[in-house]
Structures are given as C-alpha cells and as structure tokens.
Amino acid sequence: MATLMIGAFYNPHLGAELARATGIDHLAMADPPAPSDPYWPKVRERYTLLLHDYLGQLSEPLDGRAIERARALAALYRTPWVAEHFQCLHTEDGTYNLNYVLPPLYTEEFLARFVANANALKARLDQPLVMENIPGFFDVKASQLSEPTWLRRFFEATGTGFLLDLPHVWLEAHYQGMKPERWLAEFPLEHVVELHVAGVEEDEDLKGLWIAPAEPSVEMLDFLAHAVAHCPQAKAVTFDAFSPSLTSDVLFRSVERIRAVL
Amino acid sequence: MSDRALQDRVIRALADAPYRASPEWRRQELADPERLERYARFLARHFYHERIAHFFKYSRALARVTGRRPDAVLKRPAFETLLPTAVLGSRETARAVARLVVEHVASAEPAVPIPYLRDLLRYEEAMMVAEAGPRVWREDTMEQGVGGGEWDVPVTVEGTVLLELAYDLPTVLPKLLQSWTEPPTAPRKATKLLVARSRHGRVAVARGDEAVAAVVKLADGKRTLAELARSAGLEVATLEETLKGLTELGAVRFSTGS
C-alpha cells in the first residue's frame, strides 16, 4: 500500500490555524472558498485539496452547468480525484428537497441510473471520480439489493473509486445489531481510494447515535485501522467534520489520533 | 410506478409532515413509520438550522449584545408545535420559522441600543422567505410550465420583495461580521432593497429605486412592455434597462402572457 495521506476538511472559520498547521497532508473542500477568505491563497498553495462539493445527484444526469462547475472547481483545487455521493435527496420536479443525506433505493433501476450518469460525468472530468456511501436510518421496502451488493455492481460497471465513509458503515451496523467489521466485510473494499472517519453522538430527534463533528472514539479509530488494512488501494484518510461549531482543538487532535493508529 | 417515482414519495414523506400523516402515504407501508418520523424531525431541525445560520447571520453576530441567538428557536416549544404542519422548503414554513426567529430576537432588551435591529430582522426574514419554494435543479427543466410564443410580458417572480427601510443597512452588514467591541452603526436614511431569488435558489439583494419599485409592483404578466412603461411613467429605454437588471437578479421573468 502506498503512503496514506491524512487530512481533514477545510473549515473556513479555522482558516488561520489551517494555513499555518503542520501534520495535515490534505484538505477536502466541501464549499468553494469565499472571495473574502484571507487564508484561501495560503491554503491553496500549501495543501493537496480534494474536491468534495455537492455537484448534483447522480440519479439524474448532471447538466452542462453542473459539469462545468465541477470542472472549474477541480481545476481550481488541482484535485487528484473528484467526489460525489450515492444520494437522491430532492424530487425530480424540484418541489421537495431534504438538504441532507438520503440514499437511493437499492434497486436495478437506480443502479442503471447511477451507472449511466456516473459514466457520463466521469467522461467529462480530467480526474478520477470517487463515490461515497450514504447511511440509511430506515429501510425502504422497495429496495431489491443489499447496499454492499448494489455498490459492488456499481463500481464494477463504472470503474470509479470508492470513498468509504466508515462512520456510515458503523452506524448501519449499530442499528442492525451487527459487528461493524462483519458488515464492512461485505463492501467492495478493493475499490476504496479514500476513507472518511469522524465521531458519532446521540441525537435527540433520532433517539440514537448519528454522525457528528466530534472526535472519533477509540472504537472508531480501531475500526479505521481494521478497515485500512483491508483497503489495498487506499490513498487518503480524511477527518470528516465540516461545521461552524467545529473547534481547532478537535480537528487537530483528531488528525493526530488518526495518524497514530495507522 | 418507477423506482424514481417511489423515491420521490419517500422524499416527500420526509419533507412534508401532513403528507407523512396522511392515509395516502401510510397505506403504502414503505417504511417503519416511527423511524421515518424520527428521521423527518431530525431533517427538519437540520434544514432550518442551516437556513437560520445563513440568513440570520447578522443577528447572530449581534447576539452578544442582544443575548438572543437566532438558532435558539429550534429548541423551543413553538418550533416543536410547527413540526406537524412543516413542509421543508415551502414558503409557508419558511415564513413561520423566520417569524419565530424575528419574535425571539426582537424581544431582546440589549444593553446597547441597536436602532436598526427591526430593519435588520425584516431584511433577514425576507431573505429566508425568498429562498423557499421549488427550484430548478437541472437546466433542461427550466422551461417547464412556460408555453411557446413570444416572451415579451414581464412578471414579478413570486417571493420577490421590495423592502423599504429606515436605515441604510448595506453599509453596516459587512461590519457586523468583522470584529467589533461596540455594535457598528448604520446611517438613518430611507433605503429600498430588492430581495429576489433565481430559479436555482440563489438569493440576491440589490438597492432599489423608484423605477425598480414601480416595475416590481406593476409587472403582472399581463401588461406588455409598452403598457408597463406607460403605467410606471418610465421611458421605454429606462424600463428595458431596469428589466435587464431585475431579470439578472431573478426578480422578474418573461412569460408568454397567455
């Protein structure tokens, strides 16, 4: 396995600290830099930047405007790969939008849609495309395939990379009452290019654990070490926290602890 | 029914509380209702947290003087009361949530008076309400609902608002987001601000003048350019220039007039 890059998300409110930080190899960019961000030039100069914006949902083809935006951001960041998510969060007519993660139905029809639209996007990019798994909090009875099977078929059909979000896998295992390692083993880990890791916290609405901009627990870090050992093509691990409430202490300590377990 | 249409039903159930409670949704038995409800409530709080954080960021910057954080309403009983009727992204729910924030912040008794606070809250509320509503996600759906024919009848886009304020807010807004010890002041000066949204959901603000005010009020999708110029008391050239700016902002679009 090549040397892993260890990084975090660019949180603009921590721009001053990130611009002078050491021990961080890369920053993932969830939003374009604000024109008034004084730290952006330094950040761009210092770091490998990973494009991790919302480009569009691949249940539909991206239009020319979205593709041009993706290309422009990829060029601005000089990103080694471009990331999108397996999600379908707004209705086709644009009336309803959840503005948060929701996986597609794991069906043949959605598989065909995602394969076709990912291939079309890939053909327009100058960098490889990687796709991130999204957790489900509830099952929809219309799904026909298990998530890992659906993902495996997607990656085999497209040749795209896998951005493995470990807390997402961990949460699904948690809610299914499974050991995370057992659930993880079903995923197509040979396609993983990048891993995300973060903390989970109790949420009052969900009445259970969910992803949070918090430090990963010891258990989550052990899970990360286990996962990395089973991802032979992995190139990067990113502390997945992007929130105005994130403190620099949490970000830097998390990156340090991630590095320590790998 | 296609799987895509089925997914749309799930999305709607998560976004639209009355639909989620309806027999139409429930008899489909697509998901565990209790878990779906929990996720829907989680999404609602997240959805409006993002919008309050974005649109009420200036009030948030003043919270150390007012003692009122705009996002505090999300943990208050009045927000819980809204949830059974909330439709994420609808103008009605945006208006109701924004109203909660305005009432919460406006009831502050700051140690240092902030004379423009009422104007500021009106501005932030207008931004949040303007952003709501269906949006175009892909270019090829842009022309839906518009028939063929000549595009020469301007109409003010729903949600466009012309605010008439007592203070010159644009001069103070950037200062509020910088570091300060005493709250920045705004000149007392009658100011018109136009708040509009593009079809892609981008909210924009511009200073307005009498021509803008007249066009926004009179562009009803029925008056032709000549009729609009006459009604607004504008030269056609001035009207065309004004319309160009308003169209770029998303405040006015052209329809067939049919």
Side-chain angles (χ1 to χ4, degrees):
Chain A
M1 183 190 294
T3 308
L4 274 174
M5 296 194 298
I6 314 292
F9 269 73
Y10 181 54
N11 282 263
H13 68 289
L14 304 178
E17 292 93 329
L18 286 166
R20 62 171 181 264
T22 55
I24 296 181
D25 300 322
H26 68 271
L27 292 173
M29 299 293 295
D31 279 337
S36 57
D37 183 344
Y39 307 107
W40 164 244
K42 187 75 182 168
V43 164
R44 183 171 186 261
E45 179 194 316
R46 281 198 58 182
Y47 290 100
T48 296
L49 300 173
L50 307 182
L51 172 51
H52 197 89
D53 209 308
Y54 175 78
L55 307 176
Q57 64 183 21
L58 289 174
S59 48
E60 283 75 51
L62 297 196
D63 63 14
R65 184 172 147 270
I67 289 173
E68 279 317 307
R69 181 175 177 274
R71 288 181 56 82
L73 288 173
L76 176 68
Y77 301 156
R78 299 181 287 243
T79 187
W81 54 81
V82 172
E84 240 318 326
H85 306 79
F86 291 109
Q87 62 186 356
C88 183
L89 48 81
H90 64 75
T91 54
E92 263 193 301
D93 67 1
T95 302
Y96 300 98
N97 165 34
L98 302 176
N99 203 35
Y100 192 68
V101 297
L102 184 73
L105 295 173
Y106 295 118
T107 65
E108 296 288 350
E109 180 191 319
F110 266 101
L111 181 61
R113 281 172 166 268
F114 271 79
V115 167
N117 298 329
N119 277 333
L121 173 60
K122 210 175 87 169
R124 297 290 306 278
L125 295 172
D126 298 327
Q127 303 80 8
L129 177 65
V130 302
M131 293 290 292
E132 180 177 353
N133 56 310
I134 290 296
F137 184 71
F138 55 90
D139 292 327
V140 181
K141 286 174 190 161
S143 279
Q144 299 158 346
L145 305 167
S146 73
E147 180 191 359
T149 302
W150 193 93
L151 294 182
R152 178 177 299 283
R153 287 183 52 193
F154 170 86
F155 291 120
E156 284 169 359
T158 61
T160 58
F162 186 5
L163 198 171
L164 172 63
D165 191 298
L166 270 189
H168 293 176
V169 173
W170 190 94
L171 282 167
E172 288 177 339
H174 169 75
Y175 285 117
Q176 292 175 65
M178 286 174 79
K179 276 191 165 300
E181 291 80 2
R182 203 182 121 212
W183 181 231
L184 179 72
E186 298 190 25
F187 284 76
L189 302 182
E190 66 276 21
H191 297 284
V192 171
V193 171
E194 181 185 353
L195 295 93
H196 276 183
V197 65
V200 293
E201 283 182 351
E202 188 77 11
D203 182 88
E204 283 179 28
D205 286 313
L206 297 174
K207 298 182 179 20
L209 294 169
W210 198 249
I211 310 135
E215 274 190 65
S217 63
V218 170
E219 182 190 351
M220 189 67 79
L221 290 174
D222 289 344
F223 186 41
L224 170 67
H226 169 85
V228 166
H230 292 79
C231 297
Q233 307 296 327
K235 295 181 172 64
V237 175
T238 306
F239 173 52
D240 182 14
F242 177 66
S243 166
S245 64
L246 181 70
T247 64
S248 57
D249 281 355
V250 168
L251 187 149
F252 292 120
R253 202 164 45 237
S254 296
V255 171
E256 202 179 306
R257 291 177 62 220
I258 290 166
R259 195 178 287 283
V261 297
L262 296 178
Chain B
M1 181 191 293
S2 71
D3 294 344
R4 184 67 185 81
L6 205 59
Q7 175 90 6
D8 275 2
R9 287 193 181 180
V10 176
I11 293 169
R12 182 178 174 192
L14 288 166
D16 180 343
Y19 175 69
R20 191 161 69 244
S22 70
E24 183 190 354
W25 164 255
R26 289 191 168 243
R27 71 168 162 257
Q28 295 174 73
E29 297 183 341
L30 282 172
D32 176 273
E34 205 261 334
R35 286 190 77 81
L36 186 93
E37 181 63 32
R38 281 196 255 161
Y39 198 60
R41 292 173 73 89
F42 168 80
L43 290 175
R45 219 176 298 274
H46 178 271
F47 190 97
Y48 288 107
H49 183 274
E50 283 221 335
R51 276 151 183 80
I52 291 171
H54 181 68
F55 292 114
F56 286 87
K57 58 180 173 285
Y58 304 107
S59 292
R60 169 73 183 82
L62 283 167
R64 61 193 162 104
V65 179
T66 62
R68 302 290 174 112
R69 281 181 59 129
D71 61 353
V73 300
L74 296 171
K75 297 283 182 188
R76 294 165 75 92
F79 183 76
E80 300 294 327
T81 307
L82 276 182
L83 287 176
T85 55
V87 180
L88 306 191
S90 75
R91 196 152 280 138
E92 292 72 22
T93 306
R95 192 173 284 120
V97 175
R99 184 71 352 222
L100 292 180
V101 178
V102 169
E103 286 168 4
H104 173 62
V105 179
S107 65
E109 294 179 359
V112 183
I114 306 163
Y116 56 84
L117 183 61
R118 185 171 166 276
D119 273 2
L120 177 65
L121 289 169
R122 282 184 63 210
Y123 168 79
E124 292 176 321
E125 180 181 27
M127 297 273 282
M128 181 160 155
V129 174
E131 189 260 353
R135 68 178 57 182
V136 170
W137 291 90
R138 301 181 60 245
E139 292 291 350
D140 63 1
T141 60
M142 281 180 73
E143 317 304 357
Q144 278 183 359
V146 178
E150 288 186 29
W151 287 44
D152 59 356
V153 186
V155 58
T156 299
V157 173
E158 191 190 349
T160 299
V161 180
L162 187 72
L163 292 171
E164 300 197 15
L165 306 173
Y167 289 85
D168 189 0
L169 272 188
T171 61
V172 76
L173 296 178
K175 294 177 193 165
L176 283 169
L177 299 183
Q178 292 160 10
S179 70
W180 45 266
T181 45
E182 294 293 320
T185 56
R188 188 174 173 86
K189 179 184 164 196
T191 302
K192 286 188 174 71
L193 291 183
L194 184 73
V195 179
R197 190 192 81 147
S198 74
R199 287 188 276 202
H200 300 285
R202 185 179 60 85
V203 181
V205 183
R207 285 185 185 271
D209 56 18
E210 294 306 323
V212 165
V215 172
V216 166
K217 185 177 168 194
L218 295 168
D220 57 3
K222 293 175 188 155
R223 290 178 171 90
T224 62
L225 286 185
E227 289 166 344
L228 185 59
R230 229 179 0 260
S231 302
L234 298 171
E235 297 289 331
V236 171
T238 308
L239 175 66
E240 285 177 348
E241 193 58 31
T242 304
L243 282 170
K244 184 166 175 279
L246 289 174
T247 307
E248 283 169 6
L249 206 61
V252 166
R253 66 180 168 82
F254 284 80
S255 74
T256 60
S258 56

